[in-house]
Amino acid sequence: MTHYFHYQQDQLFAENVALADIAEKFGTPCYVYSRAALTDAYRQFADALSAREHLICFSVKSNSNLAILNLFARLGAGFDIVSGGELQRVLAAGAAANKVVFSGVGKTEAEMRLALDAGIWCFNVESSAELDRLNEVAGQMGKIAPISLRVNPDVDAKTHPYISTGLKQNKFGIAYAEALTLYRKAAGMAHLRVTGMDCHIGSQLTEISPFIAAAEKVLVLVDQLAHEGVKLEHLDLGGGLGIRYDDETPPSIAEYAQALLGALQGRSEKLIVEPGRVLVGNAGVLLTRVEYLKPGEEKHFAIVDAAMNDLMRPALYDAYHAIQPVNRSPAVAQKYEVVGPICETGDFLGHARELALDQGSLLALMSAGAYGMSMSSNYNTRPRAAEVMVDGSHMHLIRERETVAQLFAGEKIIA
Ligand SMILES: *Cc1c(COP(=O)(O)O)cnc(C)c1O
């Protein structure tokens, strides 16, 4: 819990706003973000990298609300996108196209056209077939596509297997042993311009060593290319720095940045990073209300109005989110399974949590700013939650709660 979410007389606040007031005004479930926490995390990153030319490309998939993208754009951020939809979002949020990098293994022709039209900074290309397609599309448009190859350094990120991306067996990137061959191929293609090298080895990393191991492997290739006359302008070392959800002890942003700067000492390439989680994860909470308490023979259930469709991480990765009462009560706590109303046994938000609860109690699922709202769905025909940004003593609705009518507006009954 960052100090932007804190108790005042047993009431949980986001900055200077009581979360209970937000629930009262906008209902639950509701995501709440702290503008100061977002700004602080971004500034820590920018300050720590200030010694060299750099671009912080916020990973849009971690939280893609326009207000958050706009806030980062105004702070100077670029963006790491993984779809044409995300490109349209960042442009709508006021981002400069020439600060956008485009990652992802499955870019379609239409997405390539959109990005070439907008004039993005770089395509992070993930296969030989993608190089061919991009060269062709750029040629048809009379454009030159700036590219880097996403190299898979075969480094163990030591994180959850579903968010580990830099191992040989993963679908991401270009095999280390093939990278030089593909760079030579790209350098000879008429409608491509080789500008950088990229790697991203996974998410929620809690140690520095895999980042440095990956950077060192990638730099060997950069030097080899320079030797062959292909001089790169930038190095993109991806995202992946972890945050504290429970008892993890990830390196600080400053320590991580120092380590990257150390690995790049004496080199002139511009550094690009693609952080997501570390900029937004601890800047948001998911506010939910207890609908029912259901005592059981073996376990007691607290059934809340948020569910796996709102926050998928517990169901998907067995991820831990701290659960804090919005009003701290002196009553005796007991252990609850905190679960949602969805018809799946996997629909849980927390196991065996010590809480003092009543029907109607408000809870905050902490560290929910990353991969929360952006992974939400409409399963069980549940409208997606509202999102609120707190700024000092002000609360701003930054996304209205969806209505059920919106959910089936595109559906058609046939004769
Ligand atoms: C998801 C992703 C990121 C961001 O990862 P975090 O762990 O949220 O920092 C960066 N780059 C790429 C290519 C990604 O897929």
Side-chain angles (χ1 to χ4, degrees):
M1 192 163 87
T2 67
H3 60 277
Y4 299 104
F5 296 93
H6 59 103
Y7 285 97
Q8 287 181 28
Q9 279 132 29
D10 291 328
Q11 281 262 0
L12 189 55
F13 276 65
E15 301 187 31
N16 301 324
V17 177
L19 290 178
D21 291 345
I22 296 177
E24 173 73 25
K25 183 149 185 205
F26 299 109
T28 53
C30 178
Y31 277 96
V32 181
Y33 308 105
S34 155
R35 178 178 185 163
L38 294 163
T39 304
D40 185 12
Y42 183 83
R43 291 229 167 98
Q44 281 183 45
F45 233 114
D47 289 349
L49 291 177
S50 63
R52 78 176 296 138
E53 196 192 352
H54 70 270
L55 181 62
I56 299 168
C57 289
F58 172 60
S59 172
V60 175
K61 75 180 192 289
S62 66
N63 190 318
S64 48
N65 184 287
L66 290 191
I68 288 176
L69 301 178
N70 173 262
L71 176 64
F72 285 138
R74 281 191 280 161
L75 289 168
F79 296 93
D80 172 41
I81 59 165
V82 293
S83 72
E86 287 191 349
L87 176 58
Q88 291 174 70
R89 263 187 188 280
V90 298
L91 296 177
N98 67 1
K99 288 185 173 180
V100 172
V101 296
F102 192 173
S103 306
V105 295
K107 301 177 193 80
T108 66
E109 278 186 31
E111 288 175 322
M112 288 173 174
R113 281 206 184 86
L114 212 57
L116 283 165
D117 249 336
I120 65 165
W121 174 258
C122 192
F123 289 84
N124 291 336
V125 173
E126 304 217 18
S127 64
S128 179
E130 185 187 337
L131 271 185
D132 295 333
R133 179 183 277 182
L134 184 58
N135 185 52
E136 198 180 305
V137 173
Q140 288 162 4
M141 295 174 72
K143 302 216 179 220
I144 304 287
I147 67 124
S148 71
L149 295 187
R150 175 170 176 182
V151 175
N152 183 332
D154 193 26
V155 163
D156 186 356
K158 300 184 188 129
T159 183
H160 191 284
Y162 288 8
I163 48 177
S164 214
T165 58
L167 285 170
K168 267 186 194 163
Q169 62 263 36
N170 299 136
K171 71 178 175 183
F172 297 99
I174 285 157
Y176 191 78
E178 288 168 28
L180 284 176
T181 311
L182 269 194
Y183 263 106
R184 290 178 196 124
K185 166 177 163 172
M189 292 172 101
H191 309 290
L192 303 183
R193 190 165 65 86
V194 174
T195 62
M197 193 176 294
D198 169 46
C199 78
H200 170 74
I201 58 174
S203 197
Q204 184 54 16
L205 273 72
T206 54
E207 289 173 40
I208 285 183
S209 52
F211 289 115
I212 300 307
E216 284 172 353
K217 286 190 84 169
V218 162
L219 288 171
V220 171
L221 299 180
V222 173
D223 289 341
Q224 180 63 35
L225 281 176
H227 193 68
E228 298 180 15
V230 182
K231 180 89 185 72
L232 301 183
E233 292 160 38
H234 78 255
L235 260 175
D236 181 341
L237 294 180
L241 181 58
I243 61 169
R244 181 169 201 153
Y245 286 99
D246 184 9
D247 54 4
E248 303 91 337
T249 53
S252 69
I253 289 173
E255 287 166 329
Y256 163 79
Q258 272 310 311
L260 294 190
L261 293 186
L264 298 182
Q265 208 155 31
R267 315 189 66 102
S268 60
E269 296 89 357
K270 170 174 172 161
L271 170 63
I272 297 183
V273 285
E274 304 171 345
R277 189 187 312 270
V278 74
L279 293 182
V280 292
N282 274 321
V285 303
L286 173 58
L287 203 52
T288 182
R289 194 180 287 282
V290 174
E291 292 285 349
Y292 298 102
L293 294 177
K294 187 171 175 182
E297 260 176 49
E298 291 189 5
K299 289 178 171 174
H300 301 303
F301 294 94
I303 301 164
V304 300
D305 64 4
M308 64 187 282
N309 75 298
D310 300 301
L311 181 63
M312 197 185 186
R313 300 186 66 261
L316 186 62
Y317 316 122
D318 206 14
Y320 176 94
H321 286 268
I323 302 180
Q324 302 278 356
V326 168
N327 301 298
R328 265 197 308 221
S329 140
V332 181
Q334 57 172 314
K335 274 194 182 147
Y336 286 102
E337 297 294 300
V338 179
V339 301
I342 283 184
C343 304
E344 299 273 345
T345 301
D347 182 28
F348 65 88
L349 298 169
H351 293 303
R353 302 304 175 85
E354 291 273 355
L355 293 161
L357 296 178
D358 292 309
Q359 196 163 320
S361 294
L362 286 169
L363 294 171
L365 283 127
M366 308 308 290
S367 313
Y371 306 102
M373 188 65 183
S374 63
M375 289 180 114
S376 65
S377 77
N378 296 118
Y379 189 39
N380 280 209
T381 304
R382 289 169 51 85
R384 273 173 297 179
E387 291 179 289
V388 170
M389 176 96 74
V390 169
D391 181 9
S393 318
H394 300 281
M395 43 178 145
H396 302 279
L397 183 64
I398 59 168
R399 182 189 172 112
E400 290 173 13
R401 185 176 306 286
E402 238 169 2
T403 64
V404 171
Q406 286 172 316
L407 299 193
F408 51 73
E411 297 174 32
K412 303 271 186 289
I413 291 169
I414 60 166

